[in-house]
Amino acid sequence: MPRVDADIDVKHPLQAVVLADSFGHALKPLTCNVAKVLLPLAGCPMLEYSLEWLATQGVEECVVVACSCSESVERYLKSRDGRIGGGEGRGGMITQCVSGTACVSAGEALRLIEQRRVIRGDFVLVSGDVVTNVDLSDALRTHRERRKKEKLAIMTVLLRETGADVREARYGENNLTVAMDSETQRIVHYEEHHGSASRTPATSLDASLFGEVENIRVRTNLMDCHIDICAPEFLMLFTDNFDYQHIRRDFIVGTLNERELGNTLYAYEISKDAYAARVRNLRSYDAVSRDILNRWSYPYVPDTRVVPAHNPETYIHQWGNNYLSPTCSVHETAKIGRRCLIGAGSSVGAGSSVVHSVIGKNVVIGNNVKIEGAYVFDGARIGDDASVTSSILQDGVVLHAYACVSPGCVLASGVVIGSGFTVKPHSRVALDAQPAIEEEDYDSDDSVSSTDMNFASLEHVRDKVKGEHSAEEIENALKKARVRTDVDSSAIWNPSSVGCGGAGYAWVPRDEQWFRNIAPTPPRELHDYSYESAEEASKRGYVQKTIDTSMMDDLESEGDEDTKREGVFQREVTETFLRCVKQGYAQENAVVELQGLKMAENRTFADIARYVLMTIVGLTLPAHAKTSKENIKLYPEATPASTPELLKRLRARLKEWAPLLSRFLRSEDDQVEALLTLEEFCSEEDVFKGMGGAVCVPSFAKILHMLYDMDVISEESVLAWAEEKAEADEMDKKFLKLAQPFVDWLEQSSEEESSSDD
Amino acid sequence: MPPSPAVARAVDDLAQDLRRGRYDAVQARALAKRVAETLIATVATASSEASLDDIVRATREVGGALAVVKREHFLVGNVARRILRVIRDEGARAAADRANANAAGDGTTRTPEAMSKKLKGDVIDTAHEVTEEMEAAASHVAAQSGDFVTSGAVVMTTPSAGAGTGLTEAFLRDAMKKRGGEGFGVIVAEGAPRCDGHAMARSLAERGAKDVSVICDSAVYATMPNVKLCVLSAVGVLADGTALTRSGAYNIALAAKAHSVPVIVLAGSYVISPKSRDEDGFDRAVGLGSPATALGYGEKGADPDAVVINPALEYVPPELISVFVTDHGAHCPGFIKVLLDEMYSPLDVKLLDG
């Protein structure tokens, strides 16, 4: 469909894009075989809340982008359409499903939408896991009026005012600081912090902003609703900046940083009576469920039968915000506490108590069972005298008598817990083995403990075979276990994770902070929020590493092709950097230059930084054959006679550029990678052939020391590098041996430090 | 006889709109009109072979399905009953005509199709008349203000359910026209937590009422000795004379009883339901909404998990009500049953079988 020229004022139907995937793995293993948005939330698939809300807001066309498990979403939408007859939805909303199985981030999904050319005018962008009852009409009007006056006001972000404690303790969201023009609500700064709530995170605002905007209001009591009203240009920007992955972290922050492009973002604060929250992790799943049962999301509450829009379940509201299906049977002696929902066909046995819990359809709960704060999905069976606390039991989970599920557990579909077994707090159990890291998406939250994972999923099999079998046999056993999940394969399930007669693999417990978990929070403690940032960094670092190792493998096996490509990239970086040096660019401008290169080559900053570092080291040596003519002048004429002279030259360069390097080489992984590159440089391998790096070999330890002094390389990285190298063969240990005194010194000083700490 | 796809869609849409609460805050007559139109469409699209019984059955099905969607809206079922009454009456008249024609022995025997067509046409015409009558109900109610509001009286009221100019406001404005802005005093109970009493008082003052005061709901009893008349409005009336009103009205009715102040309840005749409160679901029809209007999320350090009951409506029992003022005139609560017999066929008290 041809894009309508934006200058012509055409009345477009109101469109919406629903991202039916959050591109995370916070809810694994629940989301192994079913899309996250189809998980039931207070008795109704999550997606229904946003679809129904959009229909109420007068949206005429709705595009649902399904990524992981897209078939299940497609199937669901089809059956949903089927119930209302044809593609034309009730209330005039047409729902269209775009499946982008290959998309692993919101950015890619949005690029896919742009490619399909389905969006013709300003549209509503909402995450499929949002529950809200906001009246959008005012926000839409404000957005449209603003767009008429200001073409480049491409996005209106809906924000909800909540106390910081509510945001963190209840929804497990990060700190958010938004600075905006107090009159026009234009956002000038958007920053998600990963600091602890007790320590107000520092925010630095660009001083030039104060010249532009008269009154800047910095707000920390806002929560992002993940509902945006966007102009079609929004999608184009995603296509232009193909490295944008996240809407918030990349797009909003990126747009605010590139103010010179003139694109502006505006905030819209929703009314205090309105409710909006997103299910991001287990904690917010719990919180949003409770909010729905407490009717904050009215009219999207079970007894109004608004959702799902087609053949809704009937629930009868009772005192204490209990919602009971008329067809459920609760024994007279059973106690139903506050805030419970019990679905159709479920039964609760004598003497059982159910408090603060959501029970799905056709769940059988035996006698004297204690359930508190739990989410039990359809068809689960809970035996007599079992107990479940603050956990999620997915469809068809079976708990045998006297089984006990401790707080924070997640039991995926079909898991069976043996009689009398106690599941440890915060465990995750699924019938599928935890996927090996290769199968994980780029954006996975799980990739943190990647290396341990493979071991863990195999661990119980190993227990069984007691290490007497070869890896191949273990693999076969695992395969068999996977294929025959429906058959009683108790021979393979480990009784220490699911009990006798149980079924399921224990997944590695997430190194999860309290605020992500479904279990109730210990009241008001000081916590370290650095989890996510660390996770983020290591995630990036991890991806970085896989690219590199695979490249090295290729280099070894396939030969020149990749070396050549890498060489070209290396030269590009060198050229760019030397141009900056020659023309005496300020560091900020150099960053812009290199950023451009990064985008053009689709590489990471760490890649660039490694080669910049090598160029800097190379600048202490005379020009080599590959140097282009205009740059020859930058190089010294003679080889440095001694180590001190080399170091002197290096120090002069590093003084200027160290901040840039340390900015690009953030994580330990990146720094280790840089050290490995330095090794390559000194031994004149691959792309560094003929650059005379060998001259630096005797000074290797000193260079290392200087990089450490200049804060380019951290102590941890050096030690990590040394550790990695310690296992290498003798040939590879050449540089480690050279650097050994320095490494020893570092180790010693760190030990001293720790001992003095004690 | 299944309804045609277009009608099924219209019924579906209306049901979903009711669930969404689209008609919770608008005037009752808008909903009455839409229900009537949906039912007229059901009649209009009935097949040409359809007998009177088929049409009645189809209308009962549609009306019954809509009536149970949201019990707070009594009028949905009532509009269906009114339309059914029209169909039954027209059917009876057509049968009588036929008998007369046969008795007269004029040979013009009409085909069943033509008869059915004529019947449908008649039904639709009369149904439209009924719709118009319902639309005019509010003004008929308001026009009776002169009989109740006397000069120098002090009237206590509370905002009606629904947004905009409610029945009470229309009633008082009409009284102002008759008695003049200075003719009587108005005390408005603010109607917390929504507090739309403020807007109502302002609107009355802007239209010339000289003596308007707003009091908080807890001051109702203390103010009652000065009051000569209480005016409430109902969103629904049950067969025994129980009124479903905005929450806060019971409070006023009780205080009025204690001070022997007459209480009049305004209601369009189409909200009077032949049902009783103990019938399935009606006792729960109190419009339980979001706690947000009563207590903000996490406001004042409140735990969001606290159970906040925030009903929009409540029942006022008949013994506290002096008179109902409807578009059919003023009646005491005991007379409601007689009114019901006039309006609906006893066959349609229960719309859904079983």
Side-chain angles (χ1 to χ4, degrees):
Chain A
M1 196 178 298
R3 180 171 295 279
V4 180
D5 190 351
D7 291 328
I8 306 166
D9 197 15
V10 184
K11 171 90 182 77
H12 295 293
L14 182 58
Q15 292 179 306
V17 172
V18 179
L19 293 175
D21 199 332
S22 56
F23 309 101
H25 292 254
L27 295 182
K28 284 249 167 161
L30 299 176
T31 51
C32 276
N33 300 315
V34 64
K36 172 186 168 187
V37 291
L38 297 183
L39 291 180
L41 187 67
C44 161
M46 229 180 266
L47 184 61
E48 286 286 350
Y49 291 93
S50 42
L51 289 182
E52 170 57 29
W53 173 73
L54 287 171
T56 320
Q57 301 306 317
V59 171
E60 287 157 86
E61 280 179 49
C62 174
V63 183
V64 179
V65 203
C67 298
S68 69
C69 299
S70 61
E71 329 77 55
S72 60
V73 178
E74 255 175 292
R75 218 175 312 127
Y76 179 79
L77 287 175
K78 211 176 247 172
S79 73
R80 189 180 190 268
D81 279 348
R83 267 174 269 143
I84 51 162
E88 198 181 317
R90 169 153 42 189
M93 185 168 88
I94 300 167
T95 313
Q96 183 188 349
C97 186
V98 171
S99 93
T101 324
C103 299
V104 292
S105 72
E108 285 179 29
L110 290 169
R111 283 187 275 277
L112 182 74
I113 293 288
E114 164 76 355
Q115 267 171 32
R116 297 284 175 95
R117 305 226 173 257
V118 284
I119 296 300
R120 299 185 294 281
D122 285 19
F123 64 100
V124 182
L125 176 68
V126 55
S127 183
D129 44 15
V130 165
V131 175
T132 179
N133 59 5
V134 174
D135 182 6
L136 206 54
S137 55
D138 185 49
L140 274 170
R141 195 172 50 243
T142 320
H143 176 84
R144 284 186 180 133
E145 274 167 17
R146 194 185 295 131
R147 278 268 287 159
K148 261 181 216 152
K149 279 184 277 177
E150 194 182 336
K151 201 81 211 129
L152 291 171
I154 52 170
M155 190 179 187
T156 301
V157 181
L158 268 66
L159 299 166
R160 170 184 169 204
E161 187 182 326
T162 49
D165 50 331
V166 169
R167 186 178 54 211
E168 274 110 37
R170 198 167 167 85
Y171 295 111
E173 295 258 345
N174 293 312
N175 271 323
L176 176 71
T177 304
V178 181
M180 50 180 131
D181 185 335
S182 58
E183 273 142 50
T184 60
Q185 311 291 309
R186 179 161 77 87
I187 302 179
V188 293
H189 185 80
Y190 181 103
E191 190 174 349
E192 246 183 285
H193 302 280
H194 309 290
S196 126
S198 58
R199 195 180 62 219
T200 316
T203 296
S204 55
L205 291 178
D206 191 348
S208 66
L209 285 175
F210 293 93
E212 268 175 50
V213 182
E214 204 158 300
N215 289 312
I216 293 185
R217 225 171 149 205
V218 181
R219 307 276 305 262
T220 57
N221 60 344
L222 296 173
M223 191 167 94
D224 202 318
C225 303
H226 293 270
I227 304 165
D228 309 304
I229 305 167
C230 307
E233 288 86 340
F234 167 83
L235 290 176
M236 286 193 248
L237 277 172
F238 261 95
T239 311
D240 293 346
N241 297 289
F242 49 80
D243 59 333
Y244 280 179
Q245 304 294 342
H246 297 261
I247 298 170
R248 313 280 142 184
R249 216 175 293 147
D250 294 332
F251 175 78
I252 294 192
V253 173
T255 309
L256 293 176
N257 285 341
E258 292 172 352
R259 266 177 295 149
E260 57 277 10
L261 293 179
N263 291 321
T264 50
L265 312 174
Y266 284 86
Y268 178 87
E269 203 179 321
I270 65 175
S271 93
K272 282 202 172 167
D273 292 351
Y275 176 82
R278 184 180 171 204
V279 178
R280 269 195 163 184
N281 45 42
L282 291 173
R283 170 157 297 272
S284 46
Y285 178 88
D286 179 41
V288 174
S289 301
R290 282 186 284 166
D291 289 342
I292 292 172
L293 296 189
N294 275 333
R295 309 183 74 82
W296 290 102
S297 59
Y298 185 84
Y300 307 103
V301 293
D303 63 328
T304 55
R305 307 172 79 236
V306 174
V307 283
H310 315 290
N311 57 24
E313 291 288 322
T314 308
Y315 292 98
I316 292 165
H317 180 268
Q318 293 184 349
W319 182 253
N321 283 348
N322 289 326
Y323 303 83
L324 268 62
S325 164
T327 58
C328 75
S329 71
V330 178
H331 194 269
E332 290 84 347
T333 58
K335 178 177 164 269
I336 305 296
R338 292 196 159 180
R339 215 189 315 117
C340 287
L341 180 138
I342 300 181
S346 296
S347 66
V348 181
S352 297
S353 85
V354 181
V355 189
H356 304 315
S357 299
V358 174
I359 311 290
K361 293 190 258 302
N362 304 318
V363 176
V364 180
I365 296 172
N367 301 333
N368 302 318
V369 175
K370 283 204 164 32
I371 298 181
E372 195 180 335
Y375 297 88
V376 182
F377 294 4
D378 299 351
R381 292 210 322 271
I382 299 176
D384 297 350
D385 299 285
S387 78
V388 183
T389 318
S390 304
S391 296
I392 295 185
L393 274 57
Q394 213 182 358
D395 307 55
V397 167
V398 176
L399 298 190
H400 285 303
Y402 296 100
C404 170
V405 179
S406 313
C409 289
V410 178
L411 308 184
S413 291
V415 164
V416 180
I417 300 297
S419 162
F421 183 76
T422 302
V423 185
K424 281 192 221 73
H426 307 296
S427 28
R428 297 186 295 163
V429 185
L431 282 189
D432 300 316
Q434 192 158 14
I437 193 66
E438 291 82 45
E439 296 168 17
E440 289 286 323
D441 293 342
Y442 160 79
D443 209 21
S444 157
D445 291 349
D446 289 340
S447 52
V448 198
S449 46
S450 54
T451 40
D452 320 7
M453 254 175 211
N454 286 329
F455 289 115
S457 54
L458 289 170
E459 200 163 40
H460 55 276
V461 181
R462 284 221 186 105
D463 286 352
K464 206 74 198 162
V465 296
K466 295 196 174 93
E468 289 160 9
H469 301 266
S470 67
E472 205 176 324
E473 278 171 294
I474 293 171
E475 196 52 46
N476 284 342
L478 192 64
K479 261 186 204 150
K480 218 155 68 189
R482 270 190 181 173
V483 172
R484 303 179 57 210
T485 44
D486 47 338
V487 191
D488 177 24
S489 44
S490 53
I492 290 173
W493 313 119
N494 186 356
S496 76
S497 54
V498 289
C500 244
Y505 292 106
W507 285 31
V508 177
R510 294 167 68 91
D511 180 22
E512 216 167 14
Q513 290 294 321
W514 61 281
F515 68 92
R516 292 295 159 74
N517 214 290
I518 192 164
T521 42
R524 299 275 186 274
E525 273 180 47
L526 298 184
H527 291 284
D528 183 15
Y529 280 75
S530 58
Y531 161 67
E532 193 167 310
S533 52
E535 177 190 72
E536 197 54 39
S538 56
K539 196 193 294 172
R540 299 245 156 120
Y542 173 74
V543 171
Q544 175 58 38
K545 213 151 105 191
T546 46
I547 291 170
D548 288 339
T549 45
S550 68
M551 275 182 177
M552 281 171 197
D553 289 349
D554 286 349
L555 290 182
E556 277 159 22
S557 57
E558 287 184 13
D560 301 356
E561 182 97 334
D562 285 291
T563 321
K564 232 183 247 167
R565 207 184 312 144
E566 197 65 17
V568 168
F569 175 61
Q570 183 262 335
R571 265 200 300 287
E572 283 275 9
V573 175
T574 309
E575 293 287 299
T576 314
F577 179 67
L578 288 178
R579 199 166 61 239
C580 297
V581 172
K582 199 169 62 186
Q583 311 201 343
Y585 278 178
Q587 206 171 103
E588 281 312 304
N589 296 342
V591 170
V592 173
E593 284 276 354
L594 292 170
Q595 208 161 7
L597 185 64
K598 167 195 168 249
M599 284 185 188
E601 297 279 341
N602 198 14
R603 302 298 283 262
T604 63
F605 280 131
D607 274 330
I608 289 175
R610 285 190 293 133
Y611 291 125
V612 168
L613 177 62
M614 290 323 117
T615 316
I616 291 173
V617 177
L619 276 173
T620 61
L621 310 173
H624 49 82
K626 285 181 193 164
T627 322
S628 58
K629 269 185 197 143
E630 62 262 34
N631 288 335
I632 282 185
K633 271 181 263 162
L634 290 172
Y635 286 85
E637 280 166 13
T639 317
S642 60
T643 307
E645 195 184 337
L646 186 143
L647 287 181
K648 202 177 129 201
R649 290 177 189 178
L650 185 60
R651 184 185 298 274
R653 295 285 181 199
L654 270 184
K655 222 180 225 167
E656 194 178 342
W657 299 104
L660 179 136
L661 289 174
S662 51
R663 180 168 163 187
F664 282 180
L665 292 172
R666 279 230 175 105
S667 78
E668 201 182 290
D669 280 336
D670 290 347
Q671 297 183 0
V672 171
E673 213 52 49
L675 286 180
L676 293 173
T677 321
L678 183 65
E679 267 188 286
E680 276 175 43
F681 176 77
C682 291
S683 54
E684 299 192 30
E685 275 173 31
D686 303 328
V687 296
F688 301 110
K689 264 186 197 128
M691 290 191 189
V695 180
C696 299
V697 173
S699 322
F700 185 77
K702 294 286 180 193
I703 294 174
L704 216 55
H705 199 149
M706 180 171 290
L707 291 174
Y708 168 71
D709 280 347
M710 293 284 200
D711 289 332
V712 176
I713 305 285
S714 71
E715 182 186 316
E716 287 86 346
S717 311
V718 176
L719 294 179
W721 168 76
E723 209 172 302
E724 201 169 303
K725 278 285 161 183
E727 281 156 31
D729 51 19
E730 281 313 298
M731 279 286 285
D732 272 343
K733 277 190 177 173
K734 184 173 148 199
F735 289 99
L736 180 61
K737 277 180 189 152
L738 284 171
Q740 201 60 51
F742 174 62
V743 172
D744 287 344
W745 174 77
L746 277 180
E747 259 168 5
Q748 217 171 351
S749 65
S750 75
E751 266 162 32
E752 269 166 28
E753 210 170 288
S754 59
S755 60
S756 67
D757 278 354
D758 296 337
Chain B
M1 185 188 70
S4 77
V7 171
R9 166 73 46 84
V11 170
D12 236 22
D13 281 348
L14 177 53
Q16 189 65 3
D17 278 347
L18 282 170
R19 288 192 200 116
R20 284 169 179 163
R22 181 164 291 178
Y23 289 100
D24 288 359
V26 296
Q27 289 195 43
R29 62 167 183 259
L31 174 59
K33 190 167 181 213
R34 181 151 173 208
V35 176
E37 277 167 0
T38 311
L39 291 168
I40 290 171
T42 313
V43 174
T45 55
S47 75
S48 52
E49 297 101 70
S51 66
L52 181 73
D53 282 348
D54 290 335
I55 293 176
V56 166
R57 203 177 305 124
T59 315
R60 275 171 66 103
E61 264 170 30
V62 170
L66 287 173
V68 297
V69 171
K70 198 151 188 172
R71 308 240 181 226
E72 285 90 331
H73 294 297
F74 290 4
L75 71 90
V76 177
N78 298 337
V79 171
R81 289 182 191 103
R82 285 288 283 275
I83 303 279
L84 279 165
R85 177 65 181 260
V86 168
I87 298 170
R88 287 180 197 277
D89 287 353
E90 290 294 334
R93 192 178 330 142
D97 284 353
R98 206 158 43 227
N100 287 342
N102 286 345
D106 57 355
T108 56
T109 43
R110 285 180 295 178
T111 59
E113 281 80 22
M115 303 258 295
S116 158
K117 202 172 170 191
K118 177 167 185 308
L119 174 65
K120 263 161 67 176
D122 288 348
V123 167
I124 291 166
D125 288 345
T126 325
H128 277 301
E129 276 166 32
V130 170
T131 315
E132 278 158 29
E133 189 190 310
M134 286 190 291
E135 290 217 22
S139 55
H140 284 302
V141 171
Q144 299 170 57
S145 66
D147 302 345
F148 299 95
V149 181
T150 51
S151 283
V154 176
V155 178
M156 182 183 280
T157 188
T158 187
S160 345
T165 51
L167 254 185
T168 23
E169 202 186 319
F171 185 83
L172 291 174
R173 273 205 240 149
D174 188 80
M176 275 189 323
K177 252 183 252 158
K178 285 173 182 146
R179 307 270 174 247
E182 289 156 38
F184 62 99
V186 181
I187 297 173
V188 183
E190 63 178 0
R194 290 162 199 79
C195 293
D196 30 11
H198 300 176
M200 182 181 171
R202 179 193 203 112
S203 155
L204 284 173
E206 278 168 357
R207 285 176 169 81
K210 287 283 178 291
D211 181 11
V212 184
S213 2
V214 176
I215 56 166
C216 58
D217 296 328
S218 48
V220 162
Y221 194 92
T223 325
M224 197 53 85
N226 309 317
V227 174
K228 294 283 172 288
L229 176 71
C230 290
V231 179
L232 306 176
S233 73
V235 293
V237 179
L238 292 171
D240 62 352
T242 304
L244 182 62
T245 59
R246 252 291 292 272
S247 56
Y250 198 175
N251 182 21
I252 293 177
L254 274 174
K257 181 85 177 174
H259 291 95
S260 299
V261 175
V263 175
I264 63 170
V265 175
L266 315 177
S269 62
Y270 53 84
V271 304
I272 304 175
S273 169
K275 296 282 188 176
S276 68
R277 209 182 143 176
D278 50 4
E279 269 179 88
D280 181 46
F282 278 98
D283 51 346
R284 286 194 302 273
V286 289
L288 216 50
S290 159
T293 48
L295 178 72
Y297 195 94
E299 196 178 70
K300 296 170 195 155
D303 186 348
D305 282 343
V307 173
V308 180
I309 303 293
N310 185 15
L313 306 168
E314 68 186 356
Y315 284 104
V316 178
E319 57 270 24
L320 299 183
I321 297 166
S322 317
V323 161
F324 279 103
V325 179
T326 73
D327 43 332
H328 290 201
H331 324 278
C332 65
F335 194 72
I336 292 291
K337 278 211 164 72
V338 181
L339 208 57
L340 285 168
D341 286 343
E342 265 174 37
M343 289 192 294
Y344 313 127
S345 157
L347 296 171
D348 298 324
V349 170
K350 218 173 171 184
L351 289 170
L352 289 179
D353 301 318

